[in-house]
Amino acid sequence: EGEVHTGSAQTKREEWAFVVEDEIGRNISYQLQYIEFLTRLYNEYQLYLTYESLLCKNIMVSVCAIAEAGLFSIISNARAKGGLTGEWRTDFTALLGSAHNEYFLIDDEVWMYFHELRKLRNTLHIQSADFLEHKGYNTLRANEAITMLEKLRVQLVGESVS
């Protein structure tokens, strides 16, 4: 068999071209390559229980990071175009709220989904006494996260912020 490679970072950057900051675009493309690698790893190996769960956890955490970076980029640029200058940082919850309620970039489904995924991502701290990782992260949830990331991307590509 021939060697298997992930898609190029350049192709992924082009898909996320609305992210105008080069560093953020590159980081997103690397995370997308990582998700593709983890998906191929999952499909190549027979993974069970802990390994499967932790691999899915990595996918879901990466999806959250990409969504947050993409929203940060597009909203920061919209703020700048609107004359809102100065240093601006905000958390994922506020970014989601702005994208949905202020800039109308994402629909209800995407907004609610990423709020829930954000909560799940926050359980990445393994000292949580009431959360068992092997029950929280699974292939169904990881696949859903990947699907919803694509829905988010499509909605942001069609962005109408002026």
Side-chain angles (χ1 to χ4, degrees):
E1 284 183 28
E3 291 184 25
V4 177
H5 299 280
T6 60
S8 76
Q10 181 60 39
T11 299
K12 291 168 182 8
R13 274 196 298 275
E14 290 168 7
E15 292 171 351
W16 287 75
F18 61 86
V19 175
V20 296
E21 301 86 356
D22 189 54
E23 296 83 9
I24 296 174
R26 287 180 186 277
N27 288 339
I28 287 173
S29 68
Y30 301 149
Q31 287 294 313
L32 288 165
Q33 281 185 304
Y34 181 57
I35 290 170
E36 186 177 337
F37 168 76
L38 291 176
T39 302
R40 288 179 182 223
L41 181 67
Y42 177 82
N43 290 327
E44 183 71 26
Y45 288 90
Q46 197 66 35
L47 300 177
Y48 298 102
L49 301 173
T50 304
Y51 299 122
E52 178 181 64
S53 177
L54 294 176
L55 185 137
C56 291
K57 174 183 179 178
N58 279 310
I59 289 172
M60 295 166 72
V61 167
S62 292
V63 164
C64 259
I66 293 165
E68 189 170 8
L71 288 171
F72 176 80
S73 173
I74 202 165
I75 291 172
S76 291
N77 287 301
R79 289 174 51 84
K81 287 178 187 175
L84 301 171
T85 59
E87 188 64 25
W88 176 74
R89 290 280 173 193
T90 192
D91 65 19
F92 197 15
T93 304
L95 286 171
L96 287 165
S98 289
H100 182 263
N101 300 318
E102 186 178 350
Y103 293 102
F104 310 105
L105 299 170
I106 57 176
D107 65 20
D108 290 346
E109 177 189 24
V110 170
W111 178 45
M112 288 185 285
Y113 176 80
F114 279 99
H115 265 301
E116 292 305 313
L117 187 60
R118 177 194 57 80
K119 291 177 195 175
L120 184 61
R121 178 194 63 182
N122 289 346
T123 63
L124 68 87
H125 306 289
I126 61 175
Q127 70 269 24
S128 180
D130 61 347
F131 182 78
L132 293 174
E133 289 196 322
H134 73 275
K135 291 183 178 178
Y137 306 103
N138 58 49
T139 56
L140 181 64
R141 284 183 155 178
N143 286 330
E144 181 182 33
I146 292 167
T147 299
M148 292 304 291
L149 181 61
E150 179 59 12
K151 282 187 178 185
L152 172 72
R153 186 194 69 79
V154 167
Q155 288 179 22
L156 294 180
V157 166
E159 62 93 0
S160 59
V161 175
S162 28

